[in-house]
Amino acid sequence: MDTIGKRIAWLRKDENLTQVQLAQSINVTERSIQMWEADVAIPGGQSLIALANFFKTSSDFILGIKPH
């Protein structure tokens, strides 16, 4: 898992969620999830915090700074 997108996809799949379900859970668009997982864009501050809180992990893990 060497990219932000791969880490987000891994977390999502580990929870057996679709991109739509994740998007609804953190109040972003499905397109945002698609772009993050494709490494076309990275989540902004609020979205990054929402992802970390939702998956009960750190934003540092999502960003690749620290291990899970």
Side-chain angles (χ1 to χ4, degrees):
M1 290 182 295
D2 55 357
T3 69
I4 293 170
K6 287 181 182 177
R7 282 185 287 280
I8 293 170
W10 178 80
L11 288 165
R12 177 180 60 78
K13 290 173 185 176
D14 191 55
E15 295 290 327
N16 295 312
L17 296 171
T18 65
Q19 290 180 338
V20 172
Q21 290 170 319
L22 177 56
Q24 291 171 343
S25 296
I26 65 167
N27 200 30
V28 299
T29 65
E30 179 185 1
R31 183 72 179 133
S32 292
I33 304 296
Q34 292 169 347
M35 291 177 65
W36 298 340
E37 289 188 3
D39 289 308
V40 173
I42 60 171
Q46 293 296 338
S47 297
L48 183 61
I49 291 167
L51 283 166
N53 288 339
F54 181 80
F55 289 118
K56 296 177 179 60
T57 191
S58 69
S59 55
D60 285 348
F61 169 73
I62 295 171
L63 295 173
I65 298 169
K66 290 187 178 178
H68 188 49

